[in-house]
């Protein structure tokens, strides 16, 4: 299902990571795919409240937790810049789908990075 939210279709996910050679594009591409799938899931499920949104964002955060090993294998890691960029994109997604009152830290609560 293609994403229909114009605030999302016009957003460049993980842009700062793509600009920094420390983060290998092929791994960043996998992270971008996680965020795109999250948006698709939000549009398909239409979460009615914050707990429903958090269930979706927590699942996506778990996918990023698993992606950490790929960053490490490529000589990189999810460090401060990456954490802020990833967390910022989760926040953009929550806002774009009308969850302005979402807690940015709760969106990514199960993170291990």
């Amino acid at each position: 299902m293609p994403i229909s939210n114009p605030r999302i279709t016009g957003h460049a996910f993980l842009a700062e990571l793509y600009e920094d050679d420390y983060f290998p594009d092929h791994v960043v591409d996998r992270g971008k795919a996680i965020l795109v799938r999250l948006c698709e899931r939000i549009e398909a499920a239409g979460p009615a409240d914050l707990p429903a949104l958090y269930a979706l964002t927590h699942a996506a955060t778990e996918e990023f937790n698993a992606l950490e090993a790929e960053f490490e294998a490529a000589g990189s890691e999810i460090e401060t810049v990456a954490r802020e960029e990833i967390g910022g994109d989760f926040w953009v997604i929550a806002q774009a789908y009308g969850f302005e009152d979402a807690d940015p830290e709760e969106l990514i609560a199960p993170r291990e990075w």
Side-chain angles (χ1 to χ4, degrees), residues 28-111:
V28 177
D29 288 344
R30 304 251 345 246
K32 178 181 175 181
I34 292 168
L35 295 170
V36 168
R37 281 194 305 277
L38 172 60
C39 293
E40 291 169 345
R41 289 177 185 142
I42 291 170
E43 290 191 11
D49 55 20
L50 284 173
L53 174 68
Y54 292 149
L56 296 172
T57 63
H58 290 178
T61 301
E62 296 288 350
E63 290 184 65
F64 270 103
N65 289 344
L67 191 60
E68 173 71 12
E70 291 187 45
F71 273 101
E72 290 175 0
S76 182
E77 65 179 311
I78 299 179
E79 44 72 75
T80 304
V81 170
R83 279 192 298 272
E84 290 178 9
E85 186 74 359
I86 294 165
D89 278 344
F90 273 84
W91 178 241
V92 165
I93 290 168
Q95 298 252 314
Y97 288 103
F99 292 95
E100 291 85 6
D101 54 344
D103 179 336
E105 289 300 317
E106 183 60 33
L107 290 169
I108 56 173
R111 71 182 169 105

